[in-house]
Amino acid sequence: MSNEAILRIKDLKYTYSGGDHQALKGISLDVMPGERICIVGNNGAGKSTFFLNVNGVLHPDSGEIYFKGQKVEDNRASLNELRRGVGIVFQDADNQIIASTVMGEVSFGPINLGLDDDEVEKRVDEALTEMNLSEFKHRAPHYCSGGEKKRITIADIIAMHSEVIIFDEPTAALDPLNAKMLEEALTKLADQHKTLLISTHDMDFAYRWAQKLVVFSDGQIIATGTPVEVLTNEAVCEQANLRKPMLMRVYEDMVKHGIAPDDKAYPQDVAAFDHWLESIKAS
Amino acid sequence: MHYQYHVIYLLWLLPPLAVLIAGGIRKAWIHRHEEHHHHGFGHKHGEGTLSIDMYAYHSKIGSWNPKLKIGYGLLLLLICLISNDPYVSFGIIFYTFFVTVCLGELDADHYIGLLGIPLAFMIAGSIFILFNFSHTPFSNALVNIPTHWGYVIITPQTAKATVNLWCKAFGAISAMYMMSLSTMSNEIFGVLRDAHCPKLIIELMNMMYRFIFILMDTQHRMKNSAESRLGYTTFKRAIYSFGSTASNLFLVSMKRGTQFYDAMEARCYNGDLRFFEEKKPVTKQQLFWVIVPTAYFVLVWVMTFQGVNINV
Ligand SMILES: Nc1ncnc2c1ncn2[C@@H]1O[C@H](COP(=O)(O)OP(=O)(O)O)[C@@H](O)[C@H]1O
Ligand SMILES: [Mg+2]
């Protein structure tokens, strides 16, 4: 089953009704179950618009979306099926949180799925435990800190048991500690075989975390592949104004100055870099 | 008129007043070691406003059963309107003051401030009931104020009607405040839903309610931003700044409203805004605070009967 795409997007085009130009100019992407994908690109490249289309909130002008092999039609049942399976954690938690207690907020999705009270309560508790929010259950979300609000919005989606979870620039408003907690939460979700799509401007994060990097530029995908594949392509980096991750630059500089062999190792996190240093020292 | 009865009737106000004072003393005693601060209630200048259920969230009687609270608020409202009896109204004013401030622990200054808001409307509204205008003075008038155009007259009837109206309105407002300052909006909507109020109406109310708060919050952010750039330093500049923020306000609020709606739709919202609510059972204590005062108000009503008048 893992060689069938959970989400297949074909030539998706979208223009905002008030907008003068196409925000998405033909996007095609296959997402495999359990994949960790990072989406990078300038502001205004169309990442958020793409996410809203993939979740069925916006309706594409043309193009097709297949969810688990089923074509998504423009009717309520089909769209609800898509929304059930694909959850979005929005960029601005303040514009997502609608309830006045954390419990109420997290229960909103499960209630809309038509679950009974016991099941809703079970899912809320589960999601809150998973995001370390149990003691916040009866608090008002508006009085929580930015990091806590972000975790609440993630719990919102976890409680819906979506297979695919989309994060729109989750690290944008977080301090380093909360960003680290977020990354741990993301890893936990990945370990549960959730499919994760994350848009970010943090190239270091994308480099060490993603299995696949997708580069958006002006409403189009200009590159897909592993982070190393994409980021070693100078033309792509140039066009999308991508800043190379620090570790990659260090590695490339070491190779350039002949300190290290050109072994294409590309260590992607600090631990791997350490390990790599040990191995080249030994040889 | 048997004015001496009214002096005796005033005694009926003593028990609610005593309860209020006792509650106030108890509250002061409990909090005697705390420095006086405003318990985080209310908006201080510069704070955000997107906290729809701020009062209910902080209220100590927020844990009361919402159906009971709403039902009780409505019951007091009805008693107040139908009895048309200032003694009952004042009893309700004192008692709801006690419930909100002493049981609910809302800051007293703040509560009085909130009660002051409708005052302006009441004064404006009652002027034409209180005063009569005539070319000749009335013999039975309390006061005849001669003016250039004629006489402005207050008669015992209009004075009584005005006093009754004020008492009734204040009592009714107090009862509604007791309910709304301690009940989360979604609980109110939940009770309406259980009462088989049409879904469309509930949904509209909910959306409007939310949009008002988005509007307020947006206005607030824009004002802060203009203020930090010295946009409000002079009166002229303040007017200019207000004008330019106001024209932007609607657009920005619409955009935020759309984002909220998108986020709701993304979570399978389909026209029925519901949240999981904590079960809040009715306790004996709650029943005590509901039944005893109600019985007392009915008793006062009977004892100081003024005649039924649903009109004024
Ligand atoms: N509500 C909207 N109405 C009209 N145009 C919009 C709207 N939202 C975004 N756009 C336009 O669509 C394009 C893509 O925006 P967006 O998807 O938000 O990019 P990103 O998330 O990558 O920063 C931009 O050119 C933006 O100006
Ligand atoms: Mg965006």
Side-chain angles (χ1 to χ4, degrees), chain A residues 95 98 100 105 107 112, chain B residues 53 210 259-260 265 267 276:
Chain A
N95 289 349
I98 45 172
S100 38
E105 171 65 22
S107 71
N112 288 338
Chain B
D53 295 313
R210 266 152 218 285
Q259 273 176 24
F260 264 111
E265 263 207 315
R267 287 195 275 159
F276 194 64

Side-chain angles (χ1 to χ4, degrees), chain B residues 63-116:
Chain B
S63 57
W64 283 23
N65 182 289
K67 270 184 196 153
L68 182 78
K69 240 179 330 194
I70 294 171
Y72 189 41
L74 291 176
L75 182 69
L76 288 187
L77 178 83
L78 284 181
I79 290 180
C80 206
L81 293 182
I82 296 173
S83 73
N84 193 33
D85 180 333
Y87 303 101
V88 173
S89 299
F90 260 101
I92 289 174
I93 292 169
F94 290 147
Y95 180 65
T96 51
F97 197 115
F98 164 77
V99 172
T100 308
V101 172
C102 302
L103 295 184
E105 303 212 350
L106 172 63
D107 199 64
D109 296 346
H110 204 81
Y111 181 65
I112 293 170
L114 283 172
L115 274 181

Side-chain angles (χ1 to χ4, degrees), chain A residues 16 21 23 42-49:
Chain A
Y16 279 101
H21 66 285
N42 293 335
N43 288 330
K47 303 181 294 293
S48 303
T49 311

Side-chain angles (χ1 to χ4, degrees), chain A residues 48 51-55 57 86-91 96 153 157 162 164-168, chain B residues 263 266-267:
Chain A
S48 303
F51 289 157
L52 288 174
N53 272 285
V54 169
N55 173 267
V57 171
V86 182
I88 303 190
V89 176
F90 282 80
Q91 179 170 355
Q96 177 177 338
T153 56
I157 306 304
S162 312
V164 182
I165 305 182
I166 294 174
F167 294 80
D168 198 355
Chain B
R267 287 195 275 159

Side-chain angles (χ1 to χ4, degrees), chain B residues 178-239:
Chain B
M178 176 182 76
M179 181 192 92
S180 55
L181 293 178
S182 67
T183 316
M184 299 266 189
S185 60
N186 62 307
E187 285 178 337
I188 298 182
F189 294 124
V191 171
L192 285 178
R193 191 179 291 120
D194 287 347
H196 300 286
C197 186
K199 211 162 122 178
L200 182 69
I201 292 181
I202 298 178
E203 223 50 31
L204 273 175
M205 279 166 67
N206 218 330
M207 288 291 167
M208 283 194 302
Y209 192 51
R210 266 152 218 285
F211 194 71
I212 288 170
F213 276 90
I214 294 176
L215 215 64
M216 275 166 62
D217 188 58
T218 310
Q219 148 69 16
H220 178 84
R221 290 183 192 192
M222 284 160 102
K223 186 175 173 201
N224 272 359
S225 131
E227 214 160 40
S228 73
R229 285 175 286 161
L230 305 179
Y232 282 84
T233 39
T234 66
F235 183 64
K236 196 176 148 199
R237 209 171 292 182
I239 290 194

